[in-house]
Amino acid sequence: MAWKLDSSQPIYLQLQTELELRIVTGVYPPGSQMPAVRVLAQEAAVNPNTMQRALQELEQSGLLHAQRTAGRFITENLTLIEQSRQHLAAEQATIFFERMQKLGYSRDDALRFAATLQEEPI
Amino acid sequence: MAWKLDSSQPIYLQLQTELELRIVTGVYPPGSQMPAVRVLAQEAAVNPNTMQRALQELEQSGLLHAQRTAGRFITENLTLIEQSRQHLAAEQATIFFERMQKLGYSRDDALRFAATLQEEPI
Amino acid sequence: MAWKLDSSQPIYLQLQTELELRIVTGVYPPGSQMPAVRVLAQEAAVNPNTMQRALQELEQSGLLHAQRTAGRFITENLTLIEQSRQHLAAEQATIFFERMQKLGYSRDDALRFAATLQEEPI
Amino acid sequence: MAWKLDSSQPIYLQLQTELELRIVTGVYPPGSQMPAVRVLAQEAAVNPNTMQRALQELEQSGLLHAQRTAGRFITENLTLIEQSRQHLAAEQATIFFERMQKLGYSRDDALRFAATLQEEPI
DNA sequence: GTGGTCTAGACCACT
DNA sequence: GTGGTCTAGACCACC
């Protein structure tokens, strides 16, 4: 699985977003066990500590819970997962609005512009 | 001025987008002279050849035109600049739609979601 | 059974408190025989001499009495055990008051505060 | 200043509690600048990363805020500090109740017992 | 094997 | 100088 990381943001935040995305999209289904920290870290080619930090932050949001020796598990709370999905979506929308504002589009203008786009506009 | 470059894309494409953005937003106003290649290259901390390539691509699009000895100038054709602005905007909108699709939002859903966002949603 | 020891206090005092707690709470019932020193020492992962010292101190308080060859026995004097229970409780209350005083609570304030706590306050 | 650490709990949690205590009791007054991470770490004889972790957790609670290059500052929000004081007090009270319960005292019994204690009961 | 903690030491951006 | 991030590698408790 692809772990694309860049230097525009701290790695642990990017890992956090990617993990959240995978949970929200069902790559890691509700109630299932997460791969071990060390496995994920190797996949993403980062230090286990960095991956651990990303996982811990997700744990605070309740999306994950760790069982000392048994591993980490995804929450079965679908409401929480749906909230997370909306959180990620809000993030994307905000980025979009920010960048459009740089180009001189108000939020309304940006929405109107996007609404008139053809399927493959570039 | 900031030149943030990453390795996710060829450098010259990132330079091109940044230059386009500056022209479109009036940092480099219509009809004015562009800074010299060497200056721009130093600012962005890239090889002058790479900057040269980005500028040449912009010449092809008509946004810039070179005058043998006097340097490069931004076009005075405002229609062209407006087209470029819409091109950049379309790029952003496409990125937005792609990411929202990953999250399970259709184009309509994405627009509806964005429209309901408050000012400081994150 | 858990023997959690730290370095904040002499080991034998910690052993003494733990043994007292077990007698008071009936883990070692009145009149019954104590496990052998060596067994206790191994459980707690301490030197038998250290455990021996803790037991001797308890003998002085009357909670235990040794019978030449047969081993050590817990007292059947329930009044003595009850006194010991109150002694341990007083210790805890004192610690509580000390820490609350550090936080700016007088003894009365501390009691009033504790009385208003809900079941799962943290 | 004393930094007493034991192994009964993760160090960063103990540091967190100690820092909270110092803020709440005015050792570090509202609005003032905290000593630098490296200074605190040396004082407590721990790794700067461990101290940093403790500080970051306090930052999440709002008790501190970091200014990238200028240092960390204690909040001026007295309400927040008072909340923190009550939080620490609730922690102590809970520990007290737990230990008294081990000794066979209900919450009411524990309070009644503590209320009858003389000044120097041990 | 698992997650959790800690240390040592490095580099970065910012001022 | 400051805080922030990252890595490498160690040890622990638990089962």
Side-chain angles (χ1 to χ4, degrees):
Chain A
M1 198 156 301
W3 286 88
K4 290 199 175 176
L5 304 172
D6 59 59
S7 57
S8 65
Q9 236 190 340
I11 295 183
Y12 77 90
L13 287 178
Q14 299 179 51
L15 297 177
Q16 210 174 318
T17 302
E18 176 65 22
L19 290 167
E20 211 174 333
L21 185 62
R22 292 185 182 191
I23 293 169
V24 156
T25 58
V27 174
Y28 304 140
S32 71
Q33 184 170 3
M34 290 286 292
V37 183
R38 291 156 173 83
V39 172
L40 287 172
Q42 199 178 6
E43 262 188 43
V46 299
N47 186 286
N49 285 335
T50 308
M51 183 60 78
Q52 175 119 351
R53 176 162 181 191
L55 288 164
Q56 275 174 345
E57 309 246 346
L58 286 188
E59 216 159 327
Q60 287 191 340
S61 74
L63 225 45
L64 296 179
H65 52 98
Q67 284 173 356
R68 292 287 296 197
T69 67
R72 275 193 181 79
F73 294 83
I74 287 92
T75 183
E76 296 184 353
N77 181 340
L78 298 182
T79 307
L80 215 56
I81 293 180
E82 173 58 19
Q83 275 176 14
S84 190
R85 192 172 80 107
Q86 294 188 15
H87 173 244
L88 288 172
E91 224 171 52
Q92 287 310 318
T94 302
I95 290 173
F96 172 62
F97 282 137
E98 278 173 5
R99 296 195 179 161
M100 290 298 275
Q101 192 168 21
K102 259 196 179 175
L103 290 168
Y105 291 83
S106 72
R107 289 169 92 92
D108 283 352
D109 287 346
L111 285 173
R112 237 172 281 129
F113 179 90
T116 63
L117 265 195
Q118 299 303 317
E119 273 302 311
E120 284 299 333
I122 298 179
Chain B
M1 194 156 305
W3 286 87
K4 290 204 174 174
L5 303 172
D6 59 58
S7 56
S8 66
Q9 242 191 337
I11 300 284
Y12 81 92
L13 284 178
Q14 297 179 54
L15 298 176
Q16 200 177 325
T17 302
E18 178 64 23
L19 290 167
E20 211 175 332
L21 184 62
R22 293 185 182 193
I23 294 169
V24 156
T25 58
V27 175
Y28 305 141
S32 71
Q33 185 171 3
M34 286 292 289
V37 180
R38 291 176 192 178
V39 173
L40 289 171
Q42 197 180 5
E43 260 188 44
V46 299
N47 188 294
N49 289 333
T50 310
M51 185 59 78
Q52 179 86 5
R53 176 163 179 191
L55 290 164
Q56 279 173 349
E57 306 259 344
L58 288 186
E59 269 180 50
Q60 287 192 345
S61 75
L63 273 183
L64 296 179
H65 51 94
Q67 283 177 354
R68 303 282 294 178
T69 63
R72 278 192 181 78
F73 291 82
I74 287 93
T75 184
E76 295 182 352
N77 181 339
L78 298 184
T79 308
L80 212 55
I81 291 179
E82 174 58 19
Q83 277 175 12
S84 188
R85 191 171 82 106
Q86 292 189 15
H87 172 241
L88 289 172
E91 232 172 47
Q92 287 310 318
T94 302
I95 289 173
F96 171 62
F97 282 136
E98 279 172 4
R99 297 193 180 163
M100 290 299 275
Q101 193 167 20
K102 259 194 175 176
L103 289 169
Y105 290 84
S106 71
R107 290 168 91 93
D108 283 353
D109 286 345
L111 286 172
R112 235 172 283 131
F113 181 90
T116 61
L117 266 195
Q118 299 301 319
E119 275 303 310
E120 285 298 334
I122 297 178
Chain C
M1 197 157 302
W3 286 88
K4 290 202 174 175
L5 304 172
D6 59 58
S7 56
S8 66
Q9 242 190 335
I11 299 285
Y12 80 91
L13 285 178
Q14 298 178 54
L15 297 177
Q16 201 179 323
T17 302
E18 177 65 23
L19 290 168
E20 210 174 333
L21 184 62
R22 292 185 183 192
I23 293 169
V24 156
T25 57
V27 174
Y28 304 140
S32 70
Q33 184 172 4
M34 287 291 289
V37 180
R38 292 176 191 180
V39 172
L40 288 172
Q42 195 180 8
E43 258 189 48
V46 298
N47 188 294
N49 289 333
T50 310
M51 183 60 78
Q52 178 87 5
R53 176 161 180 194
L55 290 163
Q56 279 171 349
E57 306 261 343
L58 289 186
E59 269 179 51
Q60 288 192 344
S61 74
L63 274 182
L64 296 180
H65 51 94
Q67 285 176 353
R68 302 283 295 178
T69 63
R72 279 190 181 77
F73 291 82
I74 288 90
T75 183
E76 294 184 353
N77 180 340
L78 297 184
T79 307
L80 212 56
I81 292 180
E82 174 58 18
Q83 274 176 13
S84 188
R85 191 171 83 106
Q86 292 189 13
H87 173 241
L88 290 172
E91 230 172 46
Q92 288 310 318
T94 302
I95 291 174
F96 171 62
F97 282 136
E98 279 172 4
R99 297 195 179 162
M100 289 300 274
Q101 192 167 20
K102 260 194 174 178
L103 289 168
Y105 290 84
S106 71
R107 289 170 91 93
D108 281 354
D109 285 346
L111 286 172
R112 235 172 284 130
F113 180 91
T116 62
L117 267 195
Q118 298 302 317
E119 274 302 310
E120 285 296 335
I122 298 178
Chain D
M1 197 156 303
W3 286 89
K4 290 199 176 176
L5 303 172
D6 59 57
S7 58
S8 66
Q9 234 191 342
I11 294 182
Y12 77 91
L13 287 178
Q14 298 178 54
L15 297 177
Q16 209 175 318
T17 302
E18 176 64 23
L19 290 167
E20 211 174 334
L21 185 62
R22 292 184 182 193
I23 293 169
V24 156
T25 57
V27 175
Y28 304 140
S32 69
Q33 184 170 3
M34 290 287 292
V37 184
R38 291 157 172 82
V39 173
L40 288 171
Q42 199 178 5
E43 261 187 44
V46 299
N47 186 284
N49 285 335
T50 308
M51 183 59 78
Q52 174 117 350
R53 176 162 181 188
L55 288 164
Q56 276 174 346
E57 310 245 347
L58 286 188
E59 217 161 326
Q60 288 190 340
S61 74
L63 225 44
L64 296 178
H65 52 97
Q67 284 173 356
R68 293 287 296 197
T69 67
R72 276 194 181 79
F73 295 83
I74 287 93
T75 184
E76 297 183 352
N77 183 339
L78 298 183
T79 308
L80 216 55
I81 292 180
E82 173 57 19
Q83 275 175 15
S84 190
R85 192 172 80 106
Q86 294 187 15
H87 173 242
L88 288 172
E91 225 171 52
Q92 287 310 318
T94 302
I95 291 172
F96 172 62
F97 282 137
E98 279 172 5
R99 296 194 180 162
M100 290 299 274
Q101 192 167 22
K102 259 195 180 176
L103 290 168
Y105 290 84
S106 72
R107 290 167 91 92
D108 283 351
D109 287 345
L111 285 172
R112 236 171 283 131
F113 180 90
T116 62
L117 264 195
Q118 300 302 318
E119 274 303 309
E120 284 299 333
I122 298 179

